[in-house]
Amino acid sequence: MISYILRRTFAAVILLLVVTAVTFAIFFLLPRMAGQTADQLAQQYIGKSPTKADIAAVKQNLGLDEPLYAQYWHFIKGIVSGATYNLGPTTAHCDAPCFGYSFKNHVAVWPQLTSRLPVTVSLAAGAAVMWLVSGVVIGVISALKPRSFFDRTFMGVALAGVSLPMFFTGNLALLLFTYQWPIFGRTYVPFTENPAQWANTLFPAWCSLALLYSAIYARLTRSGMLETMNEDFIRTARAKGLRERNVVARHGLRAALTPIITVFGMDLGLLLGGAVITETVFSLPGIGQYAVQGITDNDLPPILGVTLLAAFFVVIANLLVDLLYAAADPRVRLS
Amino acid sequence: MTELSKTGAALGEPAPGNAPDAFLAVRDLKVHFPTDDGLVKSVDGLSFQVEKGKTLCIVGESGSGKSVTSLAIMGLHRLGAQGKHVQMSGEIWLDGKELVSADPDEVRRLRGREMAMIFQDPLSAMHPYYTIGNQIVEAHRVHNDVSKKVARKRAIEMLDRVGIPEPDKRVDGYPHEFSGGMRQRAMIAMALVNNPELLIADEPTTALDVTVQAQILDLIRDLQKEFGSAVVLITHDLGVVAEIADDVLVMYGGRCVERGSVDDVFERPQHPYTWGLLGSMPRIDRETSERLIPVKGQPPSLINVPSGCAFHPRCPYADIPKGDVTRTVRPELQQVGGGHFSACHLSPEDRTRIWTEEIAPKL
Amino acid sequence: MSETKKTDADVTAAPDEREILLRVEGLQKHFPIRKGVLQRQVGAVKAVDGIDFEVRKGETLGVVGESGCGKSTMGRVITRLQEPTGGSIHFEGQDITRLNAAGMRPLRRDIQMIFQDPYGSLNPRHTIGGIVSAPFRLQGVEPEGGVKKEVQRLLELVGLSPEHYNRYPHEFSGGQRQRIGIARALALKPKLVVADEPVSALDVSIQAQVVNLMDDLQEELGLTYVIIAHDLSVVRHVSDRIAVMYLGKIVELADRTSLYEAPMHPYTKALMSAVPVPDPKRRGAKSERILLRGDVPSPISPPSGCRFHTRCWKATEICRTTEPQLVELRPGQRVACHHPENFADQAPQDTVLLSVAREAAELVAEEVLAESAATSAAVAAVAAGTAGDTDAEAAGEAADTATQPEAEVAADVEATAAKTGPGARTAPAAPLRTGEATTEAEADRQDPTDK
């Protein structure tokens, strides 16, 4: 078991290195291959009408003139031990882990990310609880009474939920519950300040996001349950004389839900890296919104930072899923 | 009607609706499943009985309805998604209680306590995520109000009884950590944890190696002796039947074609399908004959069971009875000897002649 | 065409004079086990661990054994569907052990395989015509009269209708699918057909149909079969010679009659005694049954010496320390055992039973032990009569070195057999040895590095 964890952790670290390398290549190598000079590249890091000195400073700070591996080295070194940028009159210090420095706004990326992370976590966690509970419950009921009225209705709703895009359901929810009948708050309040207000503001966003996901989860659960309930061990459980609800809960769900853990972990990981559209629609100051800002400002370091953070979350979620799976299914421990 | 009551009387059973003397009695059982392709008549009028301490083997090929019969006795075919569409009639009497018309929850309370079942593939029949011990404990605690500790002790005791070495350690093992034979032993321990009086075994040794099969059959026999339970064993292997059965029931196309004591069925088989099964088997105890005598053709579909005698398209003797009686009239079970029944249009003389002159010498 | 004639001639020739089609020497297939953070190889599943045999033209070699004995792996290795990790395979005199895919290509015509699962081995999206004609397409062969005609001829050959050409596998029953598998295997007129459990997934009445079909086709086409199966009665029915495998080794290889009438390896004997016989009258004769203890050990770390010694009721010290070689004890019967049944003891000086063997013997009826002792002694006595023979020397040696009762046996087999002889060592009738034996054997067991 320990060897398994070590191996998976080791693999996760390698994967993260690969991800940083690829991200790095996209941001620094691709433009060069497309024919941009170091000056042009450096220009992108500064606002409009930069001076020659500014460009030179950025070029020097990022090492854009140096060979690629050296640039990558600076980049990794920054993440591990921080970096100092010389900005002519002043120097800016970017503490470890330095995920970049926005020359346009003169702020390091990392503090921005950490300050916005609680918003994204609040959004993702709340929605996750909602979709997991509703999706699994609907899926189980549908599976137990396949082709029933309930089954058909909810699978129809589920189909709609999957097909409707976030900017439709989200805006509709905003329109109805925040503007038409202002039941819910409009500005994000941290949980630590006022939990009730926190939940109140986030509720429409949770619902919109959960609608999308619970539809997928209901379908997953339904097909998983249908398959599981046909397994031989379910027949054995019934042959023991267990009540049907215990057969479903103890034997069916346990087996059917395990594969769903995998999907859930991945989805949550992805969402933590920024629910871009949801945060934008509901004006939540989260990571996704930060990325959108970076894109609209054509400010590369925030985008790079968000990309890396998202990758980090996905890789970690993946690792956790593997460990959870091993804990849930004793057969996995062998390999 | 008269025909039916005549056979009923011949079987020496009380009239339908009354409790029989036998411990387990099945009367005119029908289990039909509606499907998109048509009505699957898995079991279509089956009667038999088993006494305590006796073993009945139900023999048949895939699709003969033998497994559905076992599930029907346990009331398991009615559970699950397709269960509510099942059409079922007839009577199943277990120790004076009628199960077909009984409240499902009442049948549930009998399941695992008075009647228990073991299955063909113990790997898929056990939950992969729970330890063997937990699964046995669960089976015990469903019907007994005891603490987990007591149930665990009982589980270890049962594992020891079925011959699993180091039961106090193995009790915490998972099914995948057991070998095939050990898993089937654990499955038997689980089935017997509440001392059931009826044990149904559906192909319990088919997935096992011969040497392990010998061990398991031995175990079932010993346990039966010890607990005095009635055993219904379902198999396709006539070797296993000869090894363990007191009585034999041969099924074909959802119906019983021959029933009798094990000696009757092996020594004086009275149905061409039974002859076919005996002739199809290569035997290790005889000189090797050059060729096996197979049954021609394919097993019937349970949706379109052939008219008349279901076996007639495959029967080499279907043309002997006069007219097209084999194609139009379904033969009823008739007594051919004490406790020996056969459903065949051939005259008893023809059957005896064919068996002694044509079949037996070639086996 | 001339080749068919030649095969026919070979079939009629005496078995030993038939040409060897396939020769396997020291064949090994180990699957590595990797563990730990670095996934280093920490061991291997020794699925096939050094086996030798040959298959002659026109014969059927049956391979039996329990699950995990490596028989299926052996089948896949000799057809080169898997790479052997050691040993050599010669097909028609040509070394094919290390041939690459291109080198194997022409041989794929000559060596075909039939699989157990008639459901899994046919692609559900292809028509029967497509499936059976695949070998022609893959090998670029254009049969006389066109592919379709040839495929339809093949379908008829295996008892299907030519009209089935455009149907799909799911429209067929298990037995019919197995026929399709056979038709596909026969498409290119192979010389060797390796069939892995060809009938075990089929119903009894259908099994017989397929067994008969394979029989007929062998006669008609002069095929050579290697049939791998766990069902001893089926193997006995179809085979000319039979190899019994246990934990990756062949423990006995003999012609059918010898094997079934006078098995020499205790495992063969146990295996055969376990086969249920469709005859209720034999049930009372429980004494014939040899129940083996426990399970087959793991092929990752097979027992030392003779691999069967952990479950054998005749195992002595030599069985634990020295691996018996597969030697031809009787013409046409090769056995790997120190204390064979129905034959003179190969290690008569070694009489002390291991304690596991004593436990195992408790499950073996005394009649069986006595009978085995009697037959072994009888053989020894006969052998002793023919001087100059090596077996006789061994038997003579046995008489000299072995303890008193053994000599008596040679003198008066019938009378004393029940109490003496190799098999009776465990019987309560021979208490004088057990006391000493226990301590000795146990001392040895505690220190396995001793020898």
Side-chain angles (χ1 to χ4, degrees):
Chain A
M1 190 64 183
I2 290 182
S3 137
Y4 180 80
I5 296 177
L6 278 177
R7 215 165 63 230
R8 296 309 314 226
T9 315
F10 183 68
V13 170
I14 298 285
L15 190 61
L16 273 176
L17 276 178
V18 171
V19 168
T20 54
V22 170
T23 318
F24 177 82
I26 290 171
F27 282 88
F28 291 89
L29 182 60
L30 271 185
R32 299 297 286 271
M33 285 166 80
Q36 280 196 344
T37 61
D39 281 357
Q40 283 169 325
L41 192 55
Q43 210 172 320
Q44 287 201 358
Y45 284 83
I46 327 168
K48 285 159 202 151
S49 59
T51 61
K52 278 241 152 66
D54 288 338
I55 294 177
V58 168
K59 219 160 72 175
Q60 198 224 327
N61 280 321
L62 292 175
L64 294 179
D65 274 339
E66 293 174 52
L68 207 71
Y69 62 86
Q71 294 181 33
Y72 183 58
W73 173 243
H74 288 312
F75 179 69
I76 294 292
K77 209 172 117 194
I79 294 179
V80 176
S81 62
T84 307
Y85 295 111
N86 190 351
L87 300 171
T90 52
T91 54
H93 194 71
C94 176
D95 288 328
C98 177
F99 273 63
Y101 183 85
S102 166
F103 295 96
K104 283 184 180 163
N105 297 318
H106 296 284
V107 280
V109 172
W110 181 248
Q112 287 288 315
L113 290 177
T114 47
S115 72
R116 285 159 177 275
L117 192 58
V119 183
T120 302
V121 169
S122 300
L123 175 65
V129 170
M130 279 176 79
W131 90 57
L132 196 61
V133 171
S134 62
V136 167
V137 167
I138 293 171
V140 168
I141 298 176
S142 296
L144 293 183
K145 297 198 187 305
R147 291 195 258 179
S148 64
F149 176 73
F150 180 93
D151 180 28
R152 286 175 203 274
T153 312
F154 272 91
M155 285 306 122
V157 173
L159 190 65
V162 181
S163 341
L164 293 177
M166 188 62 206
F167 42 80
F168 176 80
T169 43
N171 279 320
L172 189 71
L174 270 184
L175 178 72
L176 293 180
F177 302 114
T178 311
Y179 296 105
Q180 188 70 29
W181 302 290
I183 314 167
F184 300 106
R186 289 186 203 177
T187 39
Y188 175 77
V189 181
F191 180 76
T192 42
E193 266 175 38
N194 185 345
Q197 194 57 40
W198 168 81
N200 183 277
T201 332
L202 282 171
F203 196 76
W206 285 346
C207 288
S208 313
L209 204 51
L211 179 69
L212 181 68
Y213 279 94
S214 69
I216 301 170
Y217 278 70
R219 292 199 145 243
L220 273 178
T221 310
R222 180 179 182 269
S223 62
M225 267 312 262
L226 275 179
E227 201 177 306
T228 308
M229 292 307 282
N230 275 325
E231 294 275 359
D232 285 359
F233 58 77
I234 293 294
R235 194 181 52 189
T236 310
R238 288 177 176 147
K240 288 177 183 176
L242 285 178
R243 281 174 204 283
E244 192 62 17
R245 61 162 187 271
N246 285 335
V247 172
V248 172
R250 270 191 247 162
H251 293 256
L253 261 183
R254 171 83 196 264
L257 283 189
T258 311
I260 293 180
I261 298 176
T262 320
V263 190
F264 180 68
M266 294 302 292
D267 281 344
L268 199 60
L270 273 173
L271 215 49
L272 285 176
V276 177
I277 298 173
T278 316
E279 285 175 12
T280 312
V281 168
F282 290 94
S283 326
L284 295 169
I287 304 232
Q289 204 192 43
Y290 186 52
V292 173
Q293 239 172 53
I295 294 166
T296 40
D297 294 355
N298 201 9
D299 192 7
L300 288 186
I303 306 174
L304 180 61
V306 172
T307 311
L308 280 178
L309 187 74
F312 173 78
F313 277 127
V314 170
V315 169
I316 293 302
N318 216 339
L319 175 65
L320 286 178
V321 159
D322 279 350
L323 296 181
L324 257 172
Y325 208 110
D329 186 344
R331 289 171 300 181
V332 178
R333 288 170 208 171
L334 283 177
S335 52
Chain B
M1 236 7 244
T2 47
E3 183 66 33
L4 248 176
S5 51
K6 207 167 76 195
T7 31
L11 301 180
E13 287 168 10
N18 295 331
D21 305 328
F23 177 68
L24 171 72
V26 171
R27 277 189 200 146
D28 198 27
L29 180 68
K30 288 184 183 168
V31 186
H32 297 176
F33 297 90
T35 66
D36 294 341
D37 299 325
L39 191 65
V40 178
K41 297 178 177 172
S42 295
V43 181
D44 200 23
L46 188 70
S47 304
F48 62 85
Q49 42 194 338
V50 192
E51 297 295 343
K52 267 197 186 177
K54 295 284 182 194
T55 301
L56 171 78
C57 279
I58 302 182
V59 197
E61 298 181 271
S62 45
S64 63
K66 55 188 196 305
S67 283
V68 175
T69 306
S70 64
L71 295 177
I73 299 172
M74 293 286 289
L76 288 173
H77 65 294
R78 284 199 276 203
L79 301 169
Q82 58 165 343
K84 46 178 198 259
H85 305 295
V86 175
Q87 300 164 8
M88 185 173 175
S89 66
E91 296 167 16
I92 298 170
W93 293 88
L94 179 74
D95 203 11
K97 289 176 288 276
E98 209 288 302
L99 303 184
V100 175
S101 58
D103 174 44
D105 200 55
E106 206 170 298
V107 181
R108 175 188 71 74
R109 276 193 290 264
L110 294 175
R111 260 202 308 273
R113 187 160 57 89
E114 276 204 40
M115 51 184 179
M117 189 158 177
I118 51 180
F119 300 97
Q120 173 173 355
D121 180 2
L123 182 58
S124 63
M126 293 190 136
H127 202 295
Y129 297 171
Y130 295 109
T131 61
I132 298 276
N134 279 339
Q135 300 190 44
I136 301 179
V137 164
E138 186 185 39
H140 192 49
R141 293 187 73 214
V142 181
H143 300 290
N144 295 279
D145 187 19
V146 294
S147 69
K148 278 192 178 158
K149 225 174 137 190
V150 173
R152 187 185 152 87
K153 240 183 99 192
R154 171 82 181 148
I156 295 173
E157 191 184 304
M158 285 309 295
L159 288 177
D160 188 38
R161 178 62 198 85
V162 297
I164 289 179
E166 299 183 276
D168 46 339
K169 281 194 196 124
R170 302 292 274 171
V171 72
D172 293 321
Y174 288 93
H176 70 269
E177 296 166 342
F178 280 52
S179 70
M182 287 299 150
R183 268 196 296 264
Q184 193 58 292
R185 282 171 194 269
M187 188 85 214
I188 293 174
M190 189 156 86
L192 296 184
V193 72
N194 298 319
N195 294 329
E197 294 177 299
L198 171 66
L199 179 67
I200 300 176
D202 187 358
E203 303 266 11
T205 59
T206 307
L208 305 174
D209 282 317
V210 272
T211 59
V212 181
Q213 164 170 290
Q215 295 171 354
I216 296 293
L217 289 179
D218 234 42
L219 178 67
I220 292 178
R221 216 175 359 227
D222 283 357
L223 292 169
Q224 182 184 26
K225 228 176 262 169
E226 188 179 323
F227 295 100
S229 39
V231 173
V232 175
L233 193 141
I234 285 145
T235 181
H236 68 277
D237 187 340
L238 287 174
V240 170
V241 176
E243 198 73 40
I244 200 162
D246 295 302
D247 294 303
V248 184
L249 190 157
V250 183
M251 277 188 86
Y252 188 81
R255 292 175 66 92
C256 168
V257 294
E258 180 161 8
R259 198 177 92 202
S261 72
V262 67
D263 288 329
D264 283 338
V265 174
F266 280 88
E267 302 292 317
R268 300 169 283 279
Q270 294 283 332
H271 196 282
Y273 179 61
T274 317
W275 302 339
L277 285 181
L278 287 166
S280 302
M281 266 193 95
R283 296 180 62 153
I284 206 163
D285 60 327
R286 302 272 167 89
E287 280 299 304
T288 44
S289 49
E290 270 313 297
R291 288 182 70 79
L292 300 170
I293 319 160
V295 186
K296 66 177 181 188
Q298 307 293 331
S301 134
L302 290 171
I303 294 172
N304 288 312
V305 181
S307 62
C309 173
F311 187 58
H312 86 257
R314 303 177 74 189
C315 181
Y317 313 104
D319 294 325
I320 294 181
K322 287 206 178 67
D324 51 0
V325 61
T326 50
R327 285 167 197 80
T328 52
V329 181
R330 178 177 275 187
E332 293 295 332
L333 265 191
Q334 302 212 321
Q335 187 149 10
V336 291
H340 190 184
F341 302 87
S342 163
C344 180
H345 286 303
L346 288 173
S347 69
E349 298 75 39
D350 280 339
R351 283 193 294 238
T352 314
R353 182 183 54 78
I354 294 171
W355 166 249
T356 48
E357 288 173 18
E358 290 183 29
I359 311 290
K362 284 195 217 151
L363 292 181
Chain C
M1 273 297 105
S2 62
E3 201 163 87
T4 341
K5 267 184 205 153
K6 208 174 89 195
T7 331
D8 282 342
D10 285 335
V11 172
T12 47
D16 285 356
E17 290 153 23
R18 285 190 206 162
E19 201 180 319
I20 288 176
L21 187 65
L22 180 80
R23 182 190 290 283
V24 170
E25 275 164 348
L27 190 67
Q28 261 188 4
K29 176 69 188 176
H30 292 185
F31 297 96
I33 305 167
R34 297 175 196 284
K35 261 212 177 107
V37 183
L38 298 175
Q39 293 288 290
R40 268 172 315 176
Q41 185 178 341
V42 292
V45 177
K46 295 167 182 135
V48 174
D49 201 19
I51 59 175
D52 310 270
F53 63 87
E54 70 289 312
V55 185
R56 294 173 187 280
K57 263 192 184 156
E59 79 165 349
T60 300
L61 176 75
V63 181
V64 279
E66 297 180 274
S67 48
C69 73
K71 56 187 192 301
S72 288
T73 307
M74 186 276 288
R76 285 195 293 271
V77 173
I78 61 174
T79 48
R80 289 289 315 279
L81 293 178
Q82 280 178 351
E83 296 299 309
T85 44
S88 69
I89 310 162
H90 285 82
F91 183 75
E92 292 193 305
Q94 184 194 358
D95 188 347
I96 64 166
T97 326
R98 303 272 163 237
L99 280 186
N100 55 19
M104 273 308 288
R105 186 164 263 262
L107 287 167
R108 292 271 173 234
R109 299 180 61 169
D110 294 335
I111 307 175
Q112 285 289 335
M113 198 152 179
I114 298 171
F115 298 94
Q116 165 177 11
D117 182 6
Y119 301 85
S121 59
L122 303 179
N123 187 332
R125 285 181 192 82
H126 290 178
T127 61
I128 301 312
I131 289 168
V132 179
S133 62
F136 296 119
R137 271 181 281 122
L138 291 174
Q139 288 280 349
V141 176
E142 182 64 30
E144 232 177 290
V147 172
K148 184 166 180 181
K149 211 173 154 204
E150 177 65 11
V151 169
Q152 291 181 329
R153 191 188 69 80
L154 283 163
L155 289 178
E156 261 185 320
L157 185 71
V158 298
L160 295 169
S161 154
E163 286 93 73
H164 290 151
Y165 189 87
N166 284 320
R167 301 247 204 109
Y168 287 88
H170 71 263
E171 299 173 53
F172 294 88
S173 68
Q176 287 174 317
R177 280 184 239 208
Q178 194 55 292
R179 286 171 191 267
I180 296 164
I182 294 174
R184 173 177 58 184
L186 297 182
L188 295 169
K189 301 198 174 66
K191 292 174 180 155
L192 177 69
V193 175
V194 177
D196 189 359
E197 301 276 8
V199 298
S200 59
L202 306 176
D203 271 322
V204 191
S205 70
I206 309 299
Q207 256 186 25
Q209 293 175 0
V210 173
V211 164
N212 281 350
L213 171 70
M214 289 182 68
D215 251 4
D216 294 343
L217 291 172
Q218 180 168 41
E219 214 160 282
E220 212 166 302
L221 307 173
L223 295 172
T224 306
Y225 288 134
V226 172
I227 294 183
I228 299 161
H230 71 279
D231 187 329
L232 276 90
S233 8
V234 169
V235 165
R236 175 186 183 229
H237 187 87
V238 298
S239 310
D240 299 311
R241 289 191 307 137
I242 294 161
V244 182
M245 284 185 74
Y246 185 77
L247 270 181
K249 291 268 185 196
I250 292 182
V251 296
E252 184 158 5
L253 174 60
D255 61 271
R256 164 173 70 184
T257 328
S258 312
L259 190 87
Y260 279 84
E261 277 170 10
M264 290 197 193
H265 201 283
Y267 178 65
T268 313
K269 196 166 175 172
L271 203 57
M272 287 200 317
S273 82
V275 177
V277 169
D279 183 356
K281 275 185 295 189
R282 303 250 313 228
R283 198 194 303 176
K286 210 182 161 187
S287 55
E288 291 173 17
R289 165 74 42 88
I290 298 167
L291 270 189
L292 289 181
R293 291 162 51 81
D295 293 316
V296 181
S298 155
I300 296 166
S301 50
S304 62
C306 173
R307 292 181 179 194
F308 188 55
H309 87 256
T310 50
R311 302 171 79 198
C312 184
W313 62 99
K314 300 178 91 178
T316 61
E317 186 53 31
I318 189 173
C319 303
R320 200 168 62 76
T321 53
T322 315
E323 186 176 327
Q325 297 304 309
L326 189 70
V327 285
E328 189 151 5
L329 290 182
R330 203 182 272 153
Q333 190 162 13
R334 274 174 258 174
V335 188
C337 181
H338 294 300
H339 308 295
E341 298 274 306
N342 297 311
F343 202 74
D345 207 320
Q346 297 300 293
Q349 70 285 359
D350 208 42
T351 52
V352 180
L353 279 183
L354 296 176
S355 53
V356 274
R358 275 197 303 279
E359 286 169 29
E362 283 166 19
L363 291 172
V364 184
E366 274 177 40
E367 291 92 323
V368 176
L369 296 176
E371 186 205 320
S372 108
T375 44
S376 294
V379 174
V382 170
T386 46
D389 189 57
T390 43
D391 292 337
E393 271 168 36
E397 208 177 298
D400 292 341
T401 54
T403 41
Q404 190 65 23
E406 206 110 297
E408 280 175 32
V409 170
D412 189 359
V413 177
E414 295 296 324
T416 50
K419 288 184 193 164
T420 53
R425 278 179 300 224
T426 56
L432 72 161
R433 297 194 198 168
T434 26
E436 200 185 340
T438 319
T439 44
E440 238 183 84
E442 242 135 49
D444 282 342
R445 283 179 65 74
Q446 274 159 11
D447 186 12
T449 53
D450 197 41
K451 297 202 172 175

